[in-house]
Amino acid sequence: MVRFSDGEGSQQDQKFRMNRRKFLKAGAASALTAGMVGAMKALPAEAAEAAANATGVQNGAKSKLHPTADYGGAGVKFVEHNDQWLGTTKIVGNIKNIHEGDTGFSQANRGKYGPDAQKGYYHYHFVMKHPFNGAIASFALSLAPDFMVSGIPSPQKLRIPDPEQMSQHIKDCAYFLRADEVGIGKMPPYAYYSHKAPSQDDLIKDDLSNSVPVTERLPYVIVVMIDQHLETMLASTGYDGISAAQSMRSYHTTGVISVILANYIRNLGYNARAHHFTNYAAVMAPCIMAAGLGELSRTGDCVAHPRLGFRHKVAAVTTDLPLVPDKPIDFGLLDFCRVCGKCADNCPSGAITHDKDMVEYNGYLRWNSNFQKCTEFRVTNKDGSSCGRCMKVCPWDSKEQSWFHTAGTWIGSKGEASSRLLKQIDDMFGYGDEQIEKYKWWLEWPERYGLPTN
Amino acid sequence: MGTILVFLAGILFLAGILFIKPRAKQDLKWKTVVNWVLYVLWYAITGIGISFIYINSSVGHVKATSTAIFLFLGLSLVIAIILARLLGFLGKTRKEINPSIKA
Ligand code: SF4
Ligand code: SF4
């Protein structure tokens, strides 16, 4: 009879068996690792702050509420803002201030894109046709009057801290008011509109004679950014009933924050004007870039943030309050967009170019996307309300934050070859163009999605 | 939860080391190195795979989950089989590893 406790067999067997001492040693080692992780979380506040100071990335003045910038893992470089560059956007000529009446939606309202687009846009029908989207937009419109966005500063200038501390404080005010990201930039003078467009009723007659010149030139711009809601975007086609609500969610919240911030700054005795969805005096894209919150993407006018992609909307406050501006950022988006083109592949109106290279437009370089096609589609979309399909599919914002997406984002920010690899991985795993039904919480009213009859 | 998982992962990693240690050492040094490299690789791929599959399935990324099951668990299985073969868990007779059976 063979007894396994005897002889060589027994020794071999014993070797393979983990004895209690070894097991405890292994446990102790793991516990040590786990304990260190736990201890790091339980560090005293000063030590934790010191650790955060030592490791975190920071742009401009440090906020107390968000002491380190969250770039979602992307490798970010801080770059210059001068006569030749606005961040990574090359300035090749004289950038003219544009008339608000020449922007896409105003052109639609003026009838330049045909009668359907005009009907679809008039009094924001393309948003208002969905009852929920209309409810948010109606609130946002209550922020539109000039007395909401601007006013005379208090005659008495209050004592304020130095510009660095003031910038920190302004960022904290915005975070306290629930901004997802805040940046402060040197206000590019060309970001201002040359003129505010006249009323919608004048625009529909294509009458720009009541346009109001924009004369304000303030040195700084504070930009607040709000996420358009990941789960909703994951469930949406990008151009169904909820699409406009995603924009409105971020427009109305950034609008509220900007109006309050501008009010506060005027109470301190300095000039400040809020710019938000229902009352802009400036184009937001250059403000976002100047404030270090993103780079201009293939779409031609959407600025992508390293963590939020372009799943966001912003509002801004221009001011002469003494501040320390942040620097524009470079996280490799231009290289990524050059090889990606996922937005162009998925755009239902074919508005986004597949070109490899950028073209000159009004004195700067950008991809040659067709805003007319995009505007036409958004205001006449019969499958829903507006569109944000390009945002939905973009690898920079099409998924939740997790350790591997953070690693992926880091890879994607390291040049064309790694961008190509990341785009292929993104496609292989089916991110972006999927629809995750379990998050579909809203109601659809397809009978309301057509154009108005009168 | 995260801390418990780190603890468990650490325990399993060390338990695995203790489990294969007697078989990993070979007469040729490079063979020993191959065994350990394969073990670390197998552990990393399995760990990454489980985490990737768990997160993607809980968010609801269907294609990412199924692709990851195929990719990570497939790779994990292949490496596990190679490692088991090199360590003598597979394809060797009991006689070779336990001559006392003859007794
Ligand atoms: S919003 Fe829609 S139509 Fe416009 S560019 Fe994006 S995907 Fe195309
Ligand atoms: S989908 Fe691709 S090409 Fe389009 S903006 Fe995003 S990264 Fe750039």
Side-chain angles (χ1 to χ4, degrees):
Chain A
M1 183 181 145
V2 178
R3 292 174 58 204
F4 286 96
S5 58
D6 290 339
E8 225 181 311
S10 148
Q11 284 167 16
Q12 188 96 1
D13 199 34
Q14 275 186 354
K15 274 193 207 166
F16 290 159
R17 225 182 293 140
M18 189 193 292
N19 69 30
R20 189 176 141 77
R21 258 187 82 206
K22 280 180 181 167
F23 184 82
L24 287 176
K25 271 195 218 166
S30 300
L32 195 65
T33 317
M36 280 160 65
V37 173
M40 278 164 70
K41 286 187 183 161
L43 281 174
E46 303 79 38
E49 195 182 329
N53 285 350
T55 54
V57 188
Q58 180 203 330
N59 190 2
K62 180 198 288 282
S63 143
K64 285 190 176 180
L65 297 179
H66 283 227
T68 54
D70 185 355
Y71 293 131
V76 172
K77 286 182 268 186
F78 299 120
V79 290
E80 290 311 314
H81 178 180
N82 53 36
D83 292 348
Q84 277 109 48
W85 294 95
L86 174 54
T88 53
T89 294
K90 177 105 184 94
I91 298 170
V92 290
N94 181 26
I95 304 180
K96 289 193 219 57
N97 298 76
I98 59 165
H99 193 302
E100 192 185 17
D102 290 334
T103 58
F105 285 135
S106 295
Q107 300 260 27
N109 208 6
R110 290 166 63 190
K112 303 283 185 197
Y113 297 162
D116 282 356
Q118 191 173 36
K119 271 193 206 166
Y121 183 76
Y122 189 58
H123 286 301
Y124 304 111
H125 169 80
F126 73 112
V127 177
M128 300 296 182
K129 63 187 176 182
H130 189 289
F132 181 59
N133 308 0
I136 317 177
S138 303
F139 171 78
L141 282 168
S142 69
L143 302 171
D146 284 344
F147 69 83
M148 289 296 248
V149 296
S150 59
I152 311 277
S154 160
Q156 187 203 354
K157 272 195 165 60
L158 291 185
R159 193 172 46 80
I160 57 164
D162 68 51
E164 171 127 20
Q165 280 179 307
M166 199 61 211
S167 305
Q168 169 188 316
H169 170 67
I170 288 292
K171 286 183 180 180
D172 283 328
C173 290
Y175 285 124
F176 174 73
L177 293 168
R178 287 168 287 194
D180 287 323
E181 293 291 341
V182 188
I184 298 172
K186 278 194 279 181
M187 178 65 183
Y190 46 79
Y192 281 108
Y193 284 136
S194 65
H195 294 78
K196 287 279 301 160
S199 71
Q200 290 224 356
D201 292 320
D202 282 345
L203 279 178
I204 207 161
K205 289 182 250 152
D206 196 15
D207 175 5
L208 295 182
S209 59
N210 290 323
S211 305
V212 181
V214 176
T215 53
E216 177 195 294
R217 291 293 180 270
L218 292 173
Y220 301 113
V221 60
I222 303 156
V223 178
V224 293
M225 185 176 268
I226 296 263
D227 190 339
Q228 291 196 38
H229 202 247
L230 175 71
E231 286 83 355
T232 303
M233 192 190 72
L234 289 175
S236 162
T237 58
Y239 50 90
D240 49 19
I242 203 64
S243 182
Q246 286 192 258
S247 302
M248 295 302 135
R249 170 191 206 256
S250 304
Y251 276 140
H252 91 274
T253 38
T254 51
V256 168
I257 297 170
S258 66
V259 165
I260 295 172
L261 276 184
N263 245 331
Y264 175 44
I265 294 171
R266 287 195 300 274
N267 287 347
L268 297 174
Y270 294 86
N271 287 296
R273 190 216 197 267
H275 306 257
H276 59 73
F277 159 62
T278 52
N279 192 335
Y280 291 118
V283 185
M284 289 296 100
C287 298
I288 305 173
M289 290 188 274
L293 292 177
E295 287 183 70
L296 196 59
S297 69
R298 173 175 285 279
T299 59
D301 63 348
C302 294
V303 175
H305 178 269
R307 176 173 65 87
L308 294 172
F310 55 103
R311 197 187 67 228
H312 65 72
K313 292 291 183 205
V314 302
V317 176
T318 44
T319 182
D320 56 5
L321 180 72
L323 294 169
V324 174
D326 299 354
K327 287 206 161 196
I329 55 172
D330 172 3
F331 58 98
L333 184 72
L334 300 192
D335 283 339
F336 200 99
C337 283
R338 201 167 287 120
V339 299
C340 170
K342 201 162 177 168
C343 50
D345 297 339
N346 282 277
C347 170
S349 71
I352 302 176
T353 178
H354 282 91
D355 292 353
K356 195 164 162 52
D357 294 312
M358 289 183 254
V359 294
E360 184 181 341
Y361 170 84
N362 188 25
Y364 63 96
L365 297 185
R366 69 161 204 208
W367 268 285
N368 191 22
S369 292
N370 185 328
F371 299 127
Q372 176 170 350
K373 281 187 186 173
C374 170
T375 308
E376 279 174 15
F377 180 81
R378 287 160 89 184
V379 296
T380 61
N381 172 17
K382 295 188 176 67
D383 294 323
S385 169
S386 194
C387 178
R389 174 88 178 157
C390 45
M391 166 187 88
K392 176 184 165 64
V393 300
C394 178
W396 288 91
D397 57 47
S398 59
K399 41 211 164 291
E400 69 290 345
Q401 265 192 294
S402 62
W403 66 264
F404 44 85
H405 293 318
T406 302
T409 305
W410 184 79
I411 294 169
S413 59
K414 297 289 166 201
E416 268 191 38
S418 52
S419 300
R420 192 169 285 114
L421 173 73
L422 191 71
K423 159 70 170 31
Q424 280 162 358
I425 293 174
D426 202 77
D427 289 344
M428 182 174 86
F429 285 117
Y431 294 123
D433 47 11
E434 64 195 334
Q435 270 175 268
I436 305 180
E437 280 296 322
K438 70 173 176 178
Y439 300 122
K440 183 161 181 185
W441 55 267
W442 64 94
L443 302 177
E444 296 278 357
W445 280 276
E447 66 275 21
R448 288 178 57 101
Y449 295 163
L451 290 171
T453 42
N454 47 25
Chain B
M1 181 67 181
T3 310
I4 292 173
L5 287 176
V6 170
F7 178 78
L8 266 182
I11 287 274
L12 287 174
F13 185 65
L14 292 169
I17 288 175
L18 295 175
F19 183 61
I20 67 164
K21 202 173 164 197
R23 289 178 183 258
K25 194 158 173 52
Q26 305 280 326
D27 41 353
L28 290 172
K29 196 172 179 191
W30 69 266
K31 286 187 178 174
T32 312
V33 171
V34 166
N35 283 340
W36 285 118
V37 168
L38 275 179
Y39 172 68
V40 172
L41 196 66
W42 170 81
Y43 189 86
I45 287 178
T46 310
I48 290 172
I50 291 170
S51 169
F52 191 97
I53 292 161
Y54 174 74
I55 295 174
N56 277 280
S57 63
S58 51
V59 174
H61 298 295
V62 176
K63 189 173 173 200
T65 307
S66 53
T67 310
I69 290 173
F70 197 70
L71 188 73
F72 287 109
L73 297 192
L75 266 175
S76 164
L77 193 69
V78 169
I79 296 174
I81 290 170
I82 296 170
L83 190 60
R85 177 74 182 83
L86 292 178
L87 293 174
F89 288 114
L90 281 181
K92 291 198 177 160
T93 63
R94 193 72 184 155
K95 193 175 75 177
E96 279 175 275
I97 59 165
N98 190 356
S100 70
I101 286 174
K102 275 188 203 155

